[in-house]
Amino acid sequence: MRRGPDGVWRVSGYEEARAVLRATATVQAGLGVETVEKLPSRFRRPVLYRDGPEHREDRRQTARFFTPRRVDEHYREVMVRVAEAQLGTVRETGRGHLADMSFHLAIEVAGAVIGLTESRPGIRGRLERFFPEKFGTPGLTSLHGIRWLVRQNANWLRVYWGDVRPAVRARRRRRRDDLISHLLDEGCSSGEILGECLTFAAAGMVTTREFVNMAAWHLFGDTALLARYRAADEPGRIAILQEILRLEPVIGRLRRRTTAPLRLPGGGQDPGAEVTVPAGELIDILLHRANLDARTVGERPERLCPGRPMAGGAGAPGLSFGDGAHKCPGATIALLETDVFLSRLFALPGIRMAAPPKVGFKDGIDSYELRGLAVVCTGRT
């Protein structure tokens, strides 16, 4: 762990990163939190941007939407139905684009969890515009910043009118067992519900699409791994996906700000060393490096080895879903959704990759974007 010349502390060891993520003397930083902080104080912040008792209580109340039993009983059917429909087109035409199919799947599944089920046609285009490939910096001090504000405000309105407002109106008439109904019971306004919906859309739709493409790319490129995946039962397949995710976290960097002096293990040669980060400091948690820490993940951490023993109670995906109070609640959904789709994709006769994806990056969160992975199916009916 070290403090860079820019004043930001950077953590790349597994134990140190997990300690920061679990610390109570920190608050969320990055991911646009600086913009959210400028909202009026009466506006309820999305759960991603809250900390402390309020955040913990909200997570406790919504935990029921993400339990393994809930995922299996409520969302598996949606995953299977949408995956079969998407792959049916591949069977009929012999071709498909994975980024398109996986995004459609992610939208449908996350929409079921959130309650975005009354959307007008075009939800994919609205979400694509709201989560562009490159994000600008908002502000009134430059023409570029003003354009960014205008464009994003228009995108907010499109999602509100096309997706959130119809869902809210339907649930005001009759509550359902989903996130929007819960937010209405909490007394949230339509604007506050919009903020929560977009937060969950980013977490549940955008990231899952990227991982489906990354996992497929690994499997297409490794004959032995693909054979193992095809032969495995569901827990065995998910173990393979978890190991791919450890090596390829969709979000490779998280950021926290300390609210009090924070004592952390220092790492390095002295296992008893400690470092104290003063209050008010920024910490970058480098998840992609922490997941390669041999002290936790064992020998040859850069190799893909499903089922590898992990030290210190670490989970199979490492820190790819984060940890602590802000750990991703949808981990079970993301892994099952990916497996439901890919297990069916690789069961298609004669399926092969026709074109590898083009890789892009978002530097702020060390996130990858994969576009253009095309598949062909020579054994179609």
Side-chain angles (χ1 to χ4, degrees):
M1 181 169 183
R2 57 185 176 83
R3 188 174 189 269
D6 56 358
V8 177
W9 295 77
R10 290 178 174 82
V11 183
S12 57
Y14 191 97
E15 291 183 11
E16 297 79 15
R18 185 170 60 180
V20 174
L21 292 171
R22 292 182 176 183
T24 58
T26 65
V27 293
Q28 187 78 277
L31 298 174
V33 69
E34 296 81 8
T35 302
V36 173
E37 288 174 346
K38 297 175 183 178
L39 294 172
S41 58
R42 65 180 182 277
F43 191 90
R44 181 184 187 271
R45 271 61 174 167
V47 64
L48 177 65
Y49 302 107
R50 282 181 280 149
D51 289 280
E54 182 185 27
H55 175 265
R56 290 194 295 272
E57 177 60 18
D58 187 85
R59 288 292 295 266
R60 185 190 68 79
Q61 292 183 12
T62 58
R64 71 180 188 274
F65 297 119
F66 305 100
T67 64
R69 180 175 179 178
R70 168 89 178 200
V71 172
D72 186 62
E73 294 180 354
H74 286 72
Y75 309 134
R76 182 188 289 270
E77 186 277 331
V78 178
M79 298 172 187
V80 172
R81 172 175 53 80
V82 178
E84 289 288 356
Q86 292 295 298
L87 295 174
T89 302
V90 178
R91 293 188 188 96
E92 294 172 3
T93 66
R95 300 188 64 85
H97 292 277
L98 212 57
D100 295 340
M101 292 187 289
S102 58
F103 198 36
H104 186 87
L105 173 69
I107 288 171
E108 291 288 330
V109 175
V113 180
I114 298 167
L116 294 176
T117 55
E118 283 77 23
S119 294
R120 298 171 182 172
I123 182 174
R124 177 184 164 182
R126 290 189 292 273
L127 291 171
E128 289 277 17
R129 285 191 292 270
F130 193 87
F131 302 111
E133 294 185 0
K134 293 184 178 180
F135 288 87
T137 301
L140 300 175
T141 58
S142 69
L143 183 60
H144 177 78
I146 294 172
R147 286 175 176 168
W148 192 96
L149 283 172
V150 171
R151 184 170 62 249
Q152 283 302 88
N153 284 338
N155 291 335
W156 277 78
L157 289 173
R158 289 189 185 100
V159 174
Y160 174 73
W161 288 104
D163 307 292
V164 175
R165 186 171 181 268
V168 169
R169 293 183 69 181
R171 282 150 186 80
R172 287 195 191 280
R173 292 191 296 269
R174 181 175 64 85
R175 296 290 199 270
R176 303 179 195 176
D177 191 14
D178 53 34
L179 180 67
I180 291 178
S181 296
H182 166 75
L183 294 172
L184 286 170
D185 287 340
E186 289 289 294
C188 293
S189 67
S190 294
E192 291 166 341
I193 292 173
L194 171 62
E196 289 284 12
C197 288
L198 287 169
T199 299
F200 276 92
M205 299 178 187
V206 178
T207 57
T208 302
R209 170 175 63 174
E210 302 307 337
F211 180 59
V212 169
N213 281 261
M214 178 60 77
W217 195 14
H218 270 271
L219 291 166
F220 274 121
D222 189 329
T223 304
L225 183 67
L226 178 55
R228 180 173 174 178
Y229 181 79
R230 281 171 164 160
D233 58 8
E234 184 174 280
R237 296 193 303 269
I238 288 178
I240 292 172
L241 296 177
Q242 289 175 319
E243 177 69 350
I244 294 173
L245 186 60
R246 179 187 68 83
L247 292 173
E248 309 279 10
V250 181
I251 295 178
R253 178 191 304 186
L254 295 173
R255 178 168 279 195
R256 298 288 187 269
R257 185 180 295 278
T258 56
T259 58
L262 183 62
R263 295 177 64 182
L264 297 167
Q269 299 298 320
D270 184 359
E274 287 189 340
V275 172
T276 298
V277 181
E281 297 284 278
L282 284 174
I283 304 178
D284 269 349
I285 305 108
L286 308 180
L287 304 181
H288 58 296
R289 295 186 185 178
N291 283 353
L292 297 177
D293 187 342
R295 297 173 300 168
T296 297
V297 305
E299 297 180 355
R300 307 188 74 174
E302 75 287 349
R303 292 197 63 183
L304 197 153
C305 181
R308 66 165 59 240
M310 302 281 278
L319 294 174
S320 297
F321 289 112
D323 207 311
H326 283 281
K327 184 175 182 179
C328 175
T332 302
I333 297 176
L335 288 167
L336 180 61
E337 180 180 348
T338 301
D339 180 60
V340 163
F341 182 81
L342 291 183
S343 61
R344 285 162 173 76
L345 173 72
F346 287 108
L348 295 177
I351 192 72
R352 64 179 177 84
M353 182 171 64
K358 295 180 180 179
V359 184
F361 293 96
K362 288 183 180 178
D363 294 332
I365 54 175
D366 288 355
S367 177
Y368 52 80
E369 294 182 323
L370 304 180
R371 300 292 182 270
L373 197 165
V375 298
V376 294
C377 179
T378 57
R380 68 184 188 276
T381 57

